[in-house]
Amino acid sequence: MAKFLLVVKSQDQPNVNTAVNVANGLRMMGAEDVRVVFLGPGITALDKKGKLSEIVSKNLDALRKNSVKVYACEMAMKNYNVSREELVHADEISRGADVIVKFANEGYTILTF
């Protein structure tokens, strides 16, 4: 079965929206596992202080229902001054590069937004 890691590095609203929709859609279409990592400027999509986080907030129930695991990059959090308490959601906080290497080694298809 297909396994996907979506890498969200964009602060662009259409890219973030597409990534969240694709994550949910892949699971609904039968993908075995779908994970999303927000890194670099993409971390702003998880920051409650910004308008971009509304996309994740609106889709949080669907992400949870579809068992899409969300990672926040700890380095991006530091670089963009986002604290754990300011995250709209994250199942895990890890270094983004570590997440990418781990799932690439496990055979996940990587999609970048």
Side-chain angles (χ1 to χ4, degrees), residues 41-112:
I43 197 67
T44 60
L46 296 179
D47 184 357
K48 290 178 188 174
K49 297 178 303 219
K51 191 171 178 99
L52 201 54
S53 68
E54 293 174 12
I55 296 167
V56 177
S57 294
K58 282 190 325 189
N59 291 284
L60 196 50
D61 287 341
L63 290 167
R64 287 180 174 147
K65 178 183 171 196
N66 289 316
S67 301
V68 174
K69 189 166 183 180
V70 174
Y71 296 83
C73 174
E74 66 183 352
M75 295 305 295
M77 289 172 63
K78 181 179 177 184
N79 291 335
Y80 286 83
N81 297 314
V82 180
S83 70
R84 179 183 295 266
E85 295 74 34
E86 292 167 329
L87 295 174
V88 70
H89 175 70
D91 293 301
E92 188 175 317
I93 297 172
S94 300
R95 290 182 183 255
D98 291 343
V99 171
I100 294 168
V101 169
K102 174 184 174 18
F103 293 109
N105 284 334
E106 292 181 15
Y108 281 64
T109 299
I110 299 175
L111 304 173
T112 305

Side-chain angles (χ1 to χ4, degrees), residues 1-68:
M1 295 207 86
K3 301 181 289 185
F4 295 90
L5 172 65
L6 282 66
V7 178
V8 182
K9 60 177 186 60
S10 176
Q11 286 181 299
D12 185 54
Q13 183 270 336
N15 283 338
V16 172
N17 194 58
T18 300
V20 171
N21 287 335
V22 167
N24 282 318
L26 288 168
R27 282 292 288 150
M28 291 179 351
M29 296 305 292
E32 176 183 352
D33 192 30
V34 177
R35 295 162 187 261
V36 182
V37 60
F38 291 85
L39 55 94
I43 197 67
T44 60
L46 296 179
D47 184 357
K48 290 178 188 174
K49 297 178 303 219
K51 191 171 178 99
L52 201 54
S53 68
E54 293 174 12
I55 296 167
V56 177
S57 294
K58 282 190 325 189
N59 291 284
L60 196 50
D61 287 341
L63 290 167
R64 287 180 174 147
K65 178 183 171 196
N66 289 316
S67 301
V68 174

